Coordinates of all heavy atoms in Angstrom, one line a residue:
M160 N 1.5 -0.3 6.0 CA 0.8 -0.3 4.8 C 0.1 1.1 4.6 O -0.4 1.7 5.5 CB -0.4 -1.4 4.8 CG -1.2 -1.4 3.6 SD -2.4 -2.8 3.7 CE -3.2 -2.6 2.1
L161 N 0.2 1.5 3.4 CA -0.4 2.8 3.0 C -1.4 2.4 1.8 O -1.2 1.4 1.1 CB 0.6 3.8 2.5 CG 1.7 4.2 3.4 CD1 2.6 5.2 2.7 CD2 1.1 4.9 4.7
A162 N -2.4 3.3 1.6 CA -3.3 3.1 0.5 C -3.3 4.4 -0.3 O -3.1 5.5 0.3 CB -4.7 2.8 1.0
I163 N -3.4 4.3 -1.6 CA -3.4 5.4 -2.5 C -4.8 5.7 -3.1 O -5.3 4.8 -3.7 CB -2.3 5.2 -3.6 CG1 -0.9 5.1 -3.0 CG2 -2.4 6.4 -4.6 CD1 0.1 4.6 -4.0
E164 N -5.3 6.9 -2.9 CA -6.6 7.2 -3.4 C -6.5 7.3 -4.9 O -5.8 8.2 -5.5 CB -7.1 8.5 -2.8 CG -8.2 9.2 -3.5 CD -9.5 8.4 -3.7 OE1 -10.2 8.3 -2.7 OE2 -9.6 8.0 -4.8
P165 N -7.1 6.4 -5.6 CA -6.9 6.3 -7.1 C -7.4 7.5 -7.8 O -6.9 7.9 -8.9 CB -7.7 5.1 -7.5 CG -8.6 4.8 -6.4 CD -8.0 5.3 -5.2
D166 N -8.5 8.2 -7.3 CA -9.0 9.4 -8.0 C -8.0 10.6 -7.8 O -8.1 11.6 -8.5 CB -10.4 9.8 -7.5 CG -11.4 8.8 -8.0 OD1 -11.1 8.0 -8.9 OD2 -12.5 8.7 -7.4
E167 N -7.2 10.6 -6.8 CA -6.2 11.6 -6.5 C -4.9 11.4 -7.2 O -4.1 12.3 -7.5 CB -6.0 11.8 -5.0 CG -7.2 12.2 -4.2 CD -7.7 13.6 -4.5 OE1 -6.9 14.4 -4.9 OE2 -8.9 13.8 -4.3
C168 N -4.6 10.1 -7.4 CA -3.3 9.8 -8.1 C -3.3 10.2 -9.5 O -4.3 10.0 -10.2 CB -3.1 8.2 -8.0 SG -1.7 7.6 -8.8
I169 N -2.2 10.8 -9.9 CA -2.1 11.3 -11.3 C -1.2 10.4 -12.1 O -0.8 10.7 -13.2 CB -1.6 12.7 -11.4 CG1 -0.2 12.8 -10.7 CG2 -2.5 13.7 -10.7 CD1 0.5 14.2 -10.9
D170 N -0.9 9.2 -11.6 CA -0.1 8.2 -12.3 C 1.3 8.7 -12.7 O 1.8 8.4 -13.8 CB -0.9 7.7 -13.5 CG -2.2 7.0 -13.1 OD1 -2.2 6.4 -12.1 OD2 -3.1 7.1 -13.9
C171 N 1.9 9.5 -11.9 CA 3.2 10.0 -12.2 C 4.3 9.0 -12.0 O 5.4 9.1 -12.6 CB 3.5 11.3 -11.4 SG 3.9 10.9 -9.7
A172 N 4.0 8.0 -11.2 CA 5.0 6.8 -11.0 C 6.2 7.2 -10.1 O 7.0 6.3 -10.0 CB 5.4 6.2 -12.3
V173 N 6.2 8.3 -9.5 CA 7.3 8.7 -8.7 C 7.4 7.8 -7.5 O 8.5 7.5 -7.0 CB 7.2 10.2 -8.2 CG1 8.2 10.5 -7.1 CG2 7.4 11.1 -9.4
C174 N 6.3 7.4 -6.9 CA 6.3 6.6 -5.7 C 6.8 5.1 -6.0 O 7.2 4.5 -5.0 CB 4.9 6.5 -5.1 SG 3.6 5.9 -6.2
I175 N 6.7 4.7 -7.2 CA 7.0 3.2 -7.4 C 8.5 2.9 -7.0 O 8.7 2.0 -6.2 CB 6.7 2.9 -8.9 CG1 5.2 3.0 -9.1 CG2 7.3 1.5 -9.2 CD1 4.8 2.8 -10.6
P176 N 9.5 3.6 -7.5 CA 10.9 3.3 -7.0 C 11.2 3.7 -5.6 O 12.2 3.3 -5.0 CB 11.7 4.1 -8.0 CG 10.9 5.2 -8.5 CD 9.5 4.7 -8.5
E177 N 10.3 4.6 -5.0 CA 10.6 5.0 -3.7 C 10.1 4.0 -2.6 O 10.6 4.1 -1.5 CB 9.9 6.4 -3.4 CG 10.4 7.5 -4.3 CD 11.9 7.8 -4.0 OE1 12.3 7.6 -2.9 OE2 12.6 8.1 -5.0
C178 N 9.2 3.2 -2.9 CA 8.7 2.2 -1.9 C 9.8 1.2 -1.6 O 10.3 0.5 -2.4 CB 7.5 1.5 -2.5 SG 6.8 0.2 -1.3
P179 N 10.2 1.1 -0.3 CA 11.3 0.3 0.1 C 11.0 -1.2 0.0 O 11.9 -2.0 0.1 CB 11.5 0.7 1.6 CG 10.2 1.2 2.0 CD 9.6 1.9 0.8
V180 N 9.7 -1.6 -0.2 CA 9.4 -3.0 -0.3 C 8.8 -3.4 -1.6 O 8.2 -4.4 -1.8 CB 8.5 -3.5 0.9 CG1 9.3 -3.4 2.2 CG2 7.2 -2.7 0.9
N181 N 8.9 -2.4 -2.6 CA 8.4 -2.7 -4.0 C 6.9 -3.1 -4.0 O 6.6 -4.0 -4.7 CB 9.3 -3.7 -4.7 CG 10.7 -3.3 -4.8 OD1 11.0 -2.1 -5.1 ND2 11.6 -4.2 -4.5
A182 N 6.1 -2.4 -3.2 CA 4.7 -2.7 -3.0 C 3.8 -1.9 -4.0 O 2.6 -2.2 -4.0 CB 4.3 -2.6 -1.6
I183 N 4.4 -1.0 -4.7 CA 3.5 -0.1 -5.5 C 3.7 -0.5 -7.0 O 4.8 -0.6 -7.5 CB 3.9 1.3 -5.3 CG1 3.7 1.7 -3.8 CG2 2.9 2.2 -6.1 CD1 4.2 3.1 -3.5
Y184 N 2.6 -0.6 -7.7 CA 2.6 -0.9 -9.1 C 1.7 0.0 -9.9 O 0.7 0.4 -9.3 CB 2.1 -2.4 -9.4 CG 3.0 -3.5 -8.8 CD1 2.8 -3.9 -7.5 CD2 4.0 -4.0 -9.6 CE1 3.5 -4.9 -7.0 CE2 4.8 -5.0 -9.1 CZ 4.6 -5.5 -7.8 OH 5.3 -6.5 -7.3
A185 N 2.0 0.3 -11.1 CA 1.1 1.0 -12.0 C -0.1 0.0 -12.2 O 0.1 -1.2 -12.1 CB 1.7 1.4 -13.3
E186 N -1.3 0.5 -12.3 CA -2.5 -0.4 -12.4 C -2.3 -1.5 -13.4 O -2.6 -2.6 -13.2 CB -3.7 0.5 -12.6 CG -5.0 -0.3 -12.5 CD -6.2 0.5 -12.6 OE1 -6.1 1.8 -12.8 OE2 -7.3 0.0 -12.5
E187 N -1.7 -1.1 -14.5 CA -1.6 -2.1 -15.6 C -0.5 -3.2 -15.3 O -0.4 -4.2 -16.0 CB -1.4 -1.5 -17.0 CG -0.1 -0.7 -17.1 CD -0.2 0.8 -16.6 OE1 -1.2 1.1 -15.9 OE2 0.7 1.6 -16.9
D188 N 0.3 -2.9 -14.3 CA 1.4 -3.8 -14.0 C 1.2 -4.7 -12.7 O 2.1 -5.4 -12.3 CB 2.7 -3.0 -13.8 CG 3.2 -2.3 -15.1 OD1 2.8 -2.8 -16.2 OD2 3.8 -1.3 -15.0
V189 N 0.0 -4.5 -12.1 CA -0.2 -5.3 -10.9 C -0.2 -6.8 -11.2 O -0.9 -7.3 -12.1 CB -1.6 -4.9 -10.3 CG1 -1.9 -5.8 -9.0 CG2 -1.7 -3.4 -9.9
P190 N 0.7 -7.5 -10.5 CA 0.8 -9.0 -10.7 C -0.6 -9.7 -10.5 O -1.4 -9.2 -9.6 CB 1.8 -9.4 -9.7 CG 2.6 -8.2 -9.3 CD 1.6 -7.1 -9.4
Q191 N -0.8 -10.7 -11.2 CA -2.1 -11.4 -11.1 C -2.4 -11.8 -9.7 O -3.6 -11.7 -9.3 CB -2.0 -12.7 -12.0 CG -3.3 -13.3 -12.3 CD -4.2 -12.5 -13.3 OE1 -3.7 -11.7 -14.1 NE2 -5.5 -12.7 -13.2
D192 N -1.5 -12.3 -8.9 CA -1.7 -12.7 -7.6 C -1.9 -11.6 -6.6 O -2.2 -11.8 -5.4 CB -0.6 -13.7 -7.1 CG 0.7 -13.0 -6.9 OD1 0.9 -11.9 -7.5 OD2 1.6 -13.5 -6.2
Q193 N -1.9 -10.4 -7.1 CA -2.1 -9.2 -6.2 C -3.2 -8.3 -6.6 O -3.4 -7.2 -6.0 CB -0.8 -8.4 -6.1 CG 0.4 -9.2 -5.4 CD 1.6 -8.4 -5.1 OE1 1.5 -7.2 -4.8 NE2 2.7 -9.0 -5.3
L194 N -4.0 -8.8 -7.6 CA -5.1 -8.0 -8.1 C -6.1 -7.7 -7.0 O -6.8 -6.7 -7.0 CB -5.8 -8.7 -9.2 CG -5.0 -8.7 -10.5 CD1 -5.7 -9.5 -11.6 CD2 -4.8 -7.2 -11.0
K195 N -6.2 -8.6 -6.0 CA -7.2 -8.4 -4.9 C -6.9 -7.1 -4.1 O -7.7 -6.5 -3.5 CB -7.2 -9.5 -3.9 CG -5.8 -9.7 -3.2 CD -5.8 -11.0 -2.4 CE -4.3 -11.3 -1.9 NZ -4.0 -12.7 -1.8
F196 N -5.6 -6.6 -4.2 CA -5.3 -5.4 -3.5 C -5.8 -4.1 -4.2 O -5.8 -3.1 -3.6 CB -3.7 -5.3 -3.3 CG -3.2 -6.3 -2.3 CD1 -2.7 -7.5 -2.7 CD2 -3.3 -6.0 -0.9 CE1 -2.2 -8.4 -1.7 CE2 -2.8 -6.8 0.0 CZ -2.3 -8.1 -0.4
V197 N -6.1 -4.2 -5.5 CA -6.6 -3.0 -6.2 C -7.9 -2.5 -5.5 O -8.0 -1.4 -5.2 CB -6.8 -3.3 -7.7 CG1 -7.5 -2.1 -8.4 CG2 -5.5 -3.7 -8.3
K198 N -8.9 -3.5 -5.3 CA -10.1 -3.1 -4.7 C -9.9 -2.7 -3.2 O -10.5 -1.7 -2.7 CB -11.1 -4.3 -4.8 CG -12.5 -3.9 -4.4 CD -13.4 -5.1 -4.6 CE -14.8 -4.8 -4.0 NZ -15.7 -6.0 -4.1
L199 N -9.1 -3.5 -2.5 CA -8.8 -3.2 -1.1 C -8.2 -1.8 -1.0 O -8.5 -1.0 -0.1 CB -7.9 -4.2 -0.6 CG -7.5 -4.0 0.9 CD1 -8.7 -4.1 1.8 CD2 -6.4 -5.1 1.3
N200 N -7.3 -1.4 -1.9 CA -6.6 -0.1 -1.9 C -7.7 1.0 -2.0 O -7.6 2.0 -1.2 CB -5.6 0.0 -3.0 CG -5.0 1.4 -3.1 OD1 -4.2 1.8 -2.2 ND2 -5.5 2.2 -4.1
V201 N -8.6 0.8 -2.9 CA -9.7 1.8 -3.0 C -10.4 2.0 -1.7 O -10.7 3.1 -1.2 CB -10.7 1.5 -4.1 CG1 -11.8 2.5 -4.2 CG2 -9.9 1.5 -5.5
E202 N -10.9 0.8 -1.1 CA -11.6 0.9 0.1 C -10.8 1.5 1.2 O -11.3 2.4 1.9 CB -11.9 -0.6 0.5 CG -12.6 -0.7 1.9 CD -12.6 -2.1 2.5 OE1 -12.6 -3.1 1.7 OE2 -12.5 -2.2 3.7
L203 N -9.6 1.1 1.4 CA -8.8 1.7 2.5 C -8.4 3.1 2.3 O -8.4 3.9 3.3 CB -7.5 0.8 2.7 CG -7.8 -0.6 3.1 CD1 -6.5 -1.4 3.3 CD2 -8.6 -0.7 4.4
S204 N -8.1 3.5 1.1 CA -7.7 4.9 0.9 C -8.9 5.9 1.2 O -8.6 7.0 1.5 CB -7.3 5.1 -0.6 OG -8.4 5.0 -1.5
R205 N -10.1 5.4 1.1 CA -11.3 6.2 1.4 C -11.7 6.1 2.9 O -12.5 6.9 3.3 CB -12.4 5.9 0.5 CG -12.0 6.3 -1.0 CD -12.9 5.9 -2.0 NE -12.3 6.3 -3.3 CZ -12.7 5.9 -4.5 NH1 -13.7 5.1 -4.6 NH2 -12.1 6.4 -5.6
A206 N -11.2 5.2 3.6 CA -11.5 5.0 5.0 C -10.4 5.5 5.9 O -10.8 5.9 7.0 CB -11.8 3.5 5.3
W207 N -9.2 5.4 5.5 CA -8.1 5.8 6.4 C -7.8 7.3 6.3 O -8.1 7.9 5.3 CB -6.8 5.0 6.0 CG -6.8 3.6 6.4 CD1 -7.8 3.0 7.2 CD2 -5.9 2.6 6.1 NE1 -7.4 1.6 7.4 CE2 -6.3 1.4 6.7 CE3 -4.7 2.6 5.3 CZ2 -5.6 0.2 6.6 CZ3 -4.0 1.4 5.2 CH2 -4.4 0.2 5.8
P208 N -7.3 7.9 7.4 CA -6.9 9.3 7.3 C -5.9 9.6 6.3 O -5.0 8.8 6.0 CB -6.5 9.6 8.7 CG -6.1 8.3 9.3 CD -6.9 7.3 8.6
T209 N -5.9 10.8 5.7 CA -5.0 11.2 4.8 C -3.7 11.6 5.5 O -3.7 12.3 6.5 CB -5.5 12.4 4.0 OG1 -6.7 12.0 3.3 CG2 -4.5 12.9 2.9
I210 N -2.6 11.2 4.9 CA -1.3 11.6 5.4 C -0.9 12.9 4.8 O -0.8 13.0 3.5 CB -0.2 10.5 5.2 CG1 -0.6 9.2 5.9 CG2 1.2 11.0 5.6 CD1 0.3 8.0 5.6
T211 N -0.7 13.9 5.5 CA -0.3 15.3 5.0 C 1.1 15.7 5.3 O 1.5 16.7 4.8 CB -1.3 16.3 5.5 OG1 -1.3 16.4 6.9 CG2 -2.7 16.0 5.0
R212 N 1.8 15.0 6.2 CA 3.1 15.3 6.5 C 4.0 14.1 6.6 O 3.5 13.0 7.1 CB 3.2 16.1 7.9 CG 2.6 17.4 7.8 CD 2.5 18.0 9.2 NE 1.9 19.3 9.2 CZ 2.5 20.5 9.3 NH1 3.8 20.5 9.5 NH2 1.9 21.6 9.2
M213 N 5.2 14.2 6.3 CA 6.1 13.1 6.4 C 6.3 12.7 7.9 O 6.3 13.6 8.8 CB 7.5 13.4 5.9 CG 8.5 12.3 5.8 SD 9.9 12.8 4.9 CE 10.9 11.3 5.1
K214 N 6.3 11.5 8.2 CA 6.5 11.0 9.6 C 7.4 9.8 9.6 O 7.6 9.2 8.6 CB 5.2 10.8 10.3 CG 4.4 9.7 9.6 CD 3.0 9.5 10.4 CE 2.2 8.4 9.8 NZ 1.0 8.2 10.5
P215 N 8.0 9.5 10.8 CA 8.9 8.3 10.8 C 8.1 7.1 10.5 O 6.9 7.0 10.8 CB 9.4 8.3 12.3 CG 9.1 9.6 12.8 CD 7.9 10.2 12.0
H216 N 8.8 6.1 9.9 CA 8.1 4.8 9.7 C 7.8 4.1 11.0 O 8.4 4.4 12.0 CB 8.9 3.9 8.7 CG 10.3 3.5 9.3 ND1 10.4 2.6 10.3 CD2 11.5 3.9 9.0 CE1 11.7 2.4 10.5 NE2 12.4 3.2 9.7
P217 N 6.9 3.2 11.0 CA 6.5 2.5 12.2 C 7.8 1.7 12.8 O 8.6 1.2 12.0 CB 5.5 1.4 11.8 CG 4.9 2.0 10.6 CD 6.0 2.8 9.9
A218 N 7.9 1.7 14.1 CA 9.0 1.1 14.8 C 9.2 -0.4 14.4 O 10.4 -0.9 14.4 CB 8.9 1.2 16.3
D219 N 8.1 -1.1 14.0 CA 8.3 -2.5 13.7 C 8.3 -2.7 12.2 O 8.1 -3.9 11.7 CB 7.1 -3.3 14.4 CG 5.7 -2.8 13.9 OD1 5.6 -1.8 13.2 OD2 4.8 -3.5 14.3
A220 N 8.5 -1.7 11.4 CA 8.5 -1.9 9.9 C 9.5 -2.9 9.4 O 9.1 -3.7 8.6 CB 8.7 -0.5 9.2
D221 N 10.7 -2.9 9.9 CA 11.7 -3.9 9.5 C 11.3 -5.3 9.9 O 11.6 -6.2 9.1 CB 13.1 -3.5 10.0 CG 13.6 -2.3 9.3 OD1 13.2 -2.0 8.2 OD2 14.6 -1.7 9.9
E222 N 10.6 -5.4 11.0 CA 10.2 -6.7 11.5 C 9.2 -7.3 10.5 O 9.1 -8.5 10.3 CB 9.6 -6.5 12.9 CG 9.2 -7.7 13.6 CD 8.6 -7.3 15.0 OE1 9.2 -6.5 15.7 OE2 7.5 -7.8 15.3
W223 N 8.4 -6.5 9.9 CA 7.2 -6.9 9.1 C 7.6 -7.0 7.6 O 6.8 -7.6 6.8 CB 6.0 -6.0 9.3 CG 5.3 -6.3 10.5 CD1 5.4 -5.6 11.7 CD2 4.3 -7.3 10.7 NE1 4.6 -6.2 12.6 CE2 3.9 -7.2 12.1 CE3 3.7 -8.3 9.9 CZ2 2.9 -8.0 12.6 CZ3 2.8 -9.1 10.4 CH2 2.4 -9.0 11.8
R224 N 8.7 -6.4 7.2 CA 8.9 -6.2 5.7 C 8.9 -7.4 4.9 O 8.5 -7.5 3.8 CB 10.1 -5.3 5.4 CG 11.4 -5.9 5.7 CD 12.6 -5.0 5.4 NE 12.7 -4.8 4.0 CZ 13.1 -3.7 3.4 NH1 13.5 -2.6 4.2 NH2 13.2 -3.6 2.1
D225 N 9.5 -8.5 5.5 CA 9.6 -9.8 4.7 C 8.5 -10.8 5.1 O 8.6 -12.0 4.6 CB 11.0 -10.4 4.8 CG 12.0 -9.4 4.2 OD1 11.7 -8.8 3.2 OD2 13.1 -9.3 4.8
V226 N 7.6 -10.5 5.9 CA 6.6 -11.4 6.3 C 5.6 -11.6 5.2 O 5.1 -10.6 4.6 CB 5.8 -10.9 7.6 CG1 4.6 -11.8 7.9 CG2 6.7 -10.8 8.8
K227 N 5.3 -12.9 4.8 CA 4.4 -13.2 3.7 C 2.9 -13.2 4.2 O 2.7 -13.5 5.4 CB 4.8 -14.5 3.1 CG 6.2 -14.5 2.5 CD 6.4 -13.6 1.4 CE 7.8 -13.6 0.8 NZ 8.1 -12.4 0.1
D228 N 2.0 -13.1 3.3 CA 0.6 -13.3 3.7 C 0.1 -12.4 4.8 O -0.6 -12.9 5.7 CB 0.2 -14.7 3.9 CG 0.6 -15.6 2.7 OD1 0.3 -15.2 1.6 OD2 1.1 -16.7 2.9
K229 N 0.5 -11.1 4.8 CA 0.2 -10.3 5.9 C -1.3 -9.8 5.9 O -1.8 -9.2 6.9 CB 1.1 -9.0 5.9 CG 2.5 -9.3 6.3 CD 3.3 -8.0 6.3 CE 3.7 -7.7 4.9 NZ 5.0 -7.3 4.7
L230 N -2.0 -10.1 4.8 CA -3.4 -9.6 4.7 C -4.2 -10.1 5.9 O -5.2 -9.4 6.3 CB -4.0 -10.0 3.4 CG -5.2 -9.3 3.0 CD1 -5.1 -7.8 3.0 CD2 -5.6 -9.7 1.6
Q231 N -3.9 -11.3 6.4 CA -4.7 -11.9 7.5 C -4.6 -11.0 8.7 O -5.4 -11.2 9.6 CB -4.2 -13.3 7.7 CG -2.8 -13.4 8.2 CD -2.3 -14.8 8.3 OE1 -2.9 -15.6 9.0 NE2 -1.1 -15.1 7.7
Y232 N -3.6 -10.2 8.8 CA -3.5 -9.3 10.0 C -4.1 -8.0 9.9 O -4.0 -7.2 10.8 CB -2.0 -9.2 10.4 CG -1.3 -10.5 10.5 CD1 -0.3 -10.9 9.7 CD2 -1.6 -11.4 11.6 CE1 0.4 -12.2 9.8 CE2 -1.0 -12.6 11.8 CZ 0.0 -13.0 10.9 OH 0.6 -14.2 11.0
L233 N -4.6 -7.7 8.7 CA -5.2 -6.3 8.5 C -6.4 -6.1 9.4 O -7.3 -6.9 9.5 CB -5.7 -6.2 7.1 CG -6.3 -4.9 6.7 CD1 -5.3 -3.7 6.8 CD2 -6.9 -4.9 5.3
E234 N -6.3 -5.0 10.1 CA -7.4 -4.6 11.0 C -8.2 -3.5 10.4 O -7.6 -2.5 9.9 CB -6.9 -4.1 12.4 CG -6.1 -5.2 13.1 CD -5.5 -4.7 14.4 OE1 -5.7 -3.5 14.8 OE2 -4.8 -5.5 15.1
R235 N -9.5 -3.6 10.3 CA -10.4 -2.6 9.7 C -11.3 -2.0 10.7 O -11.7 -2.6 11.7 CB -11.2 -3.2 8.6 CG -10.4 -3.7 7.5 CD -11.3 -4.1 6.4 NE -10.6 -5.1 5.5 CZ -11.1 -5.5 4.4 NH1 -12.2 -5.0 3.9 NH2 -10.4 -6.3 3.7
Ligands
SF4_193 S1 3.6 9.6 -6.4 FE1 2.4 7.7 -6.8 S2 0.5 8.0 -5.6 FE2 1.4 10.0 -5.9 S3 0.5 10.8 -7.8 FE3 2.4 9.8 -8.4 S4 1.9 7.7 -8.9 FE4 0.1 8.6 -7.8

């Protein structure tokens, strides 16, 4: 999971088709059942370190990509 700092985002939408699990939405297109992630994204984007260089995806990314209700596993 990544978080996007909303004050840094310029809403260019380039990342939307690049996300391999279709997890990114323009703010006005966030599905109703995922609105809770808007506030969480703000919180996490300001708490987590900034990624400044491309790096390999986590080794277990494919294992997690189709798991539902992953929010319960979020560690803060
Ligand atoms: S690529 Fe995505 S996160 Fe980055 S500025 Fe564009 S819309 Fe925002």
Side-chain angles (χ1 to χ4, degrees):
M160 179 177 180
L161 302 177
I163 297 171
E164 163 54 79
D166 289 342
E167 299 290 334
C168 176
I169 59 170
D170 298 326
C171 71
V173 168
C174 58
I175 295 172
E177 295 299 325
C178 178
V180 293
N181 301 317
I183 304 174
Y184 295 90
E186 187 171 0
E187 63 273 15
D188 296 331
V189 176
Q191 195 71 25
D192 66 341
Q193 297 187 37
L194 287 173
K195 62 188 171 210
F196 287 99
V197 173
K198 187 176 176 188
L199 179 62
N200 175 73
V201 174
E202 175 196 328
L203 296 178
S204 71
R205 293 173 181 168
W207 285 353
T209 301
I210 298 171
T211 58
R212 291 175 183 253
M213 186 173 177
K214 60 182 184 178
H216 62 73
D219 60 353
D221 287 341
E222 184 181 315
W223 282 97
R224 70 179 291 147
D225 295 322
V226 175
K227 302 295 182 201
D228 301 321
K229 288 181 280 221
L230 194 52
Q231 61 185 309
Y232 304 114
L233 179 65
E234 295 176 5
R235 298 187 200 190

